[in-house]
PDB file of all heavy atoms in Angstrom:
ATOM      1  N   PRO A 246     -21.216  14.302  20.125  1.00 98.00           N
ATOM      2  CA  PRO A 246     -20.549  13.020  20.387  1.00 98.00           C
ATOM      3  C   PRO A 246     -21.438  12.061  21.192  1.00 98.00           C
ATOM      4  O   PRO A 246     -22.407  12.472  21.837  1.00 98.00           O
ATOM      5  CB  PRO A 246     -19.346  13.451  21.230  1.00 98.00           C
ATOM      6  CG  PRO A 246     -19.844  14.641  22.005  1.00 98.00           C
ATOM      7  CD  PRO A 246     -20.859  15.336  21.103  1.00 98.00           C
ATOM      8  N   ASN A 247     -21.076  10.782  21.124  1.00 98.00           N
ATOM      9  CA  ASN A 247     -21.679   9.754  21.986  1.00 98.00           C
ATOM     10  C   ASN A 247     -23.204   9.756  21.972  1.00 98.00           C
ATOM     11  O   ASN A 247     -23.860   9.815  23.021  1.00 98.00           O
ATOM     12  CB  ASN A 247     -21.173   9.931  23.424  1.00 98.00           C
ATOM     13  CG  ASN A 247     -19.684   9.749  23.542  1.00 98.00           C
ATOM     14  OD1 ASN A 247     -19.113   8.840  22.946  1.00 98.00           O
ATOM     15  ND2 ASN A 247     -19.028  10.625  24.291  1.00 98.00           N
ATOM     16  N   CYS A 248     -23.762   9.660  20.788  1.00 98.00           N
ATOM     17  CA  CYS A 248     -25.227   9.619  20.675  1.00 98.00           C
ATOM     18  C   CYS A 248     -25.749   8.231  21.044  1.00 98.00           C
ATOM     19  O   CYS A 248     -25.067   7.223  20.878  1.00 98.00           O
ATOM     20  CB  CYS A 248     -25.644   9.992  19.254  1.00 98.00           C
ATOM     21  SG  CYS A 248     -25.172  11.686  18.799  1.00 98.00           S
ATOM     22  N   ARG A 249     -26.983   8.187  21.523  1.00 96.00           N
ATOM     23  CA  ARG A 249     -27.583   6.952  22.026  1.00 96.00           C
ATOM     24  C   ARG A 249     -28.904   6.659  21.327  1.00 96.00           C
ATOM     25  O   ARG A 249     -29.494   7.528  20.708  1.00 96.00           O
ATOM     26  CB  ARG A 249     -27.798   7.058  23.543  1.00 96.00           C
ATOM     27  CG  ARG A 249     -26.505   7.270  24.331  1.00 96.00           C
ATOM     28  CD  ARG A 249     -26.769   7.752  25.735  1.00 96.00           C
ATOM     29  NE  ARG A 249     -25.549   7.890  26.518  1.00 96.00           N
ATOM     30  CZ  ARG A 249     -24.726   8.944  26.453  1.00 96.00           C
ATOM     31  NH1 ARG A 249     -25.005   9.971  25.647  1.00 96.00           N
ATOM     32  NH2 ARG A 249     -23.638   8.979  27.191  1.00 96.00           N
ATOM     33  N   ASP A 250     -29.339   5.433  21.490  1.00 93.00           N
ATOM     34  CA  ASP A 250     -30.631   5.042  20.948  1.00 93.00           C
ATOM     35  C   ASP A 250     -31.748   5.575  21.852  1.00 93.00           C
ATOM     36  O   ASP A 250     -31.549   5.787  23.052  1.00 93.00           O
ATOM     37  CB  ASP A 250     -30.746   3.526  20.861  1.00 93.00           C
ATOM     38  CG  ASP A 250     -29.723   2.918  19.919  1.00 93.00           C
ATOM     39  OD1 ASP A 250     -29.292   3.626  18.983  1.00 93.00           O
ATOM     40  OD2 ASP A 250     -29.345   1.756  20.130  1.00 93.00           O
ATOM     41  N   ALA A 251     -32.899   5.768  21.271  1.00 88.00           N
ATOM     42  CA  ALA A 251     -34.092   6.093  22.046  1.00 88.00           C
ATOM     43  C   ALA A 251     -34.834   4.791  22.318  1.00 88.00           C
ATOM     44  O   ALA A 251     -35.129   4.018  21.401  1.00 88.00           O
ATOM     45  CB  ALA A 251     -34.980   7.068  21.285  1.00 88.00           C
ATOM     46  N   VAL A 252     -35.125   4.519  23.580  1.00 79.00           N
ATOM     47  CA  VAL A 252     -35.766   3.268  23.989  1.00 79.00           C
ATOM     48  C   VAL A 252     -37.205   3.554  24.422  1.00 79.00           C
ATOM     49  O   VAL A 252     -37.448   4.444  25.241  1.00 79.00           O
ATOM     50  CB  VAL A 252     -34.998   2.616  25.156  1.00 79.00           C
ATOM     51  CG1 VAL A 252     -35.682   1.320  25.580  1.00 79.00           C
ATOM     52  CG2 VAL A 252     -33.547   2.364  24.759  1.00 79.00           C
ATOM     53  N   ARG A 253     -38.140   2.815  23.848  1.00 72.00           N
ATOM     54  CA  ARG A 253     -39.547   3.002  24.206  1.00 72.00           C
ATOM     55  C   ARG A 253     -39.899   2.116  25.403  1.00 72.00           C
ATOM     56  O   ARG A 253     -39.768   0.897  25.371  1.00 72.00           O
ATOM     57  CB  ARG A 253     -40.459   2.674  23.024  1.00 72.00           C
ATOM     58  CG  ARG A 253     -41.935   3.019  23.285  1.00 72.00           C
ATOM     59  CD  ARG A 253     -42.756   2.879  22.025  1.00 72.00           C
ATOM     60  NE  ARG A 253     -42.372   3.841  21.015  1.00 72.00           N
ATOM     61  CZ  ARG A 253     -42.778   5.109  20.985  1.00 72.00           C
ATOM     62  NH1 ARG A 253     -43.578   5.552  21.945  1.00 72.00           N
ATOM     63  NH2 ARG A 253     -42.380   5.910  20.022  1.00 72.00           N
ATOM     64  N   ARG A 254     -40.351   2.746  26.467  1.00 71.00           N
ATOM     65  CA  ARG A 254     -40.732   2.031  27.668  1.00 71.00           C
ATOM     66  C   ARG A 254     -42.135   1.426  27.518  1.00 71.00           C
ATOM     67  O   ARG A 254     -42.885   1.807  26.621  1.00 71.00           O
ATOM     68  CB  ARG A 254     -40.704   2.984  28.871  1.00 71.00           C
ATOM     69  CG  ARG A 254     -39.305   3.440  29.248  1.00 71.00           C
ATOM     70  CD  ARG A 254     -39.338   4.467  30.349  1.00 71.00           C
ATOM     71  NE  ARG A 254     -38.005   4.758  30.844  1.00 71.00           N
ATOM     72  CZ  ARG A 254     -37.718   5.731  31.700  1.00 71.00           C
ATOM     73  NH1 ARG A 254     -38.707   6.529  32.135  1.00 71.00           N
ATOM     74  NH2 ARG A 254     -36.492   5.933  32.115  1.00 71.00           N
ATOM     75  N   PRO A 255     -42.510   0.461  28.402  1.00 76.00           N
ATOM     76  CA  PRO A 255     -43.856  -0.129  28.328  1.00 76.00           C
ATOM     77  C   PRO A 255     -44.969   0.911  28.397  1.00 76.00           C
ATOM     78  O   PRO A 255     -46.053   0.710  27.838  1.00 76.00           O
ATOM     79  CB  PRO A 255     -43.886  -1.056  29.545  1.00 76.00           C
ATOM     80  CG  PRO A 255     -42.457  -1.430  29.765  1.00 76.00           C
ATOM     81  CD  PRO A 255     -41.673  -0.205  29.405  1.00 76.00           C
ATOM     82  N   SER A 256     -44.712   2.021  29.052  1.00 74.00           N
ATOM     83  CA  SER A 256     -45.719   3.078  29.158  1.00 74.00           C
ATOM     84  C   SER A 256     -45.914   3.839  27.856  1.00 74.00           C
ATOM     85  O   SER A 256     -46.859   4.600  27.694  1.00 74.00           O
ATOM     86  CB  SER A 256     -45.312   4.078  30.247  1.00 74.00           C
ATOM     87  OG  SER A 256     -44.091   4.725  29.899  1.00 74.00           O
ATOM     88  N   GLY A 257     -44.976   3.587  26.917  1.00 66.00           N
ATOM     89  CA  GLY A 257     -45.037   4.303  25.643  1.00 66.00           C
ATOM     90  C   GLY A 257     -44.121   5.497  25.579  1.00 66.00           C
ATOM     91  O   GLY A 257     -43.875   6.045  24.499  1.00 66.00           O
ATOM     92  N   LYS A 258     -43.578   5.916  26.718  1.00 73.00           N
ATOM     93  CA  LYS A 258     -42.658   7.040  26.736  1.00 73.00           C
ATOM     94  C   LYS A 258     -41.279   6.615  26.245  1.00 73.00           C
ATOM     95  O   LYS A 258     -40.872   5.462  26.399  1.00 73.00           O
ATOM     96  CB  LYS A 258     -42.554   7.610  28.147  1.00 73.00           C
ATOM     97  CG  LYS A 258     -43.842   8.260  28.639  1.00 73.00           C
ATOM     98  CD  LYS A 258     -43.636   8.884  30.015  1.00 73.00           C
ATOM     99  CE  LYS A 258     -44.904   9.582  30.487  1.00 73.00           C
ATOM    100  NZ  LYS A 258     -44.719  10.212  31.819  1.00 73.00           N
TER     101      LYS A 258
END
Side-chain angles (χ1 to χ4, degrees):
N247 298 317
C248 297
R249 299 164 177 81
D250 297 333
V252 180
R253 187 171 295 279
R254 292 175 172 172
S256 63
K258 293 184 178 181

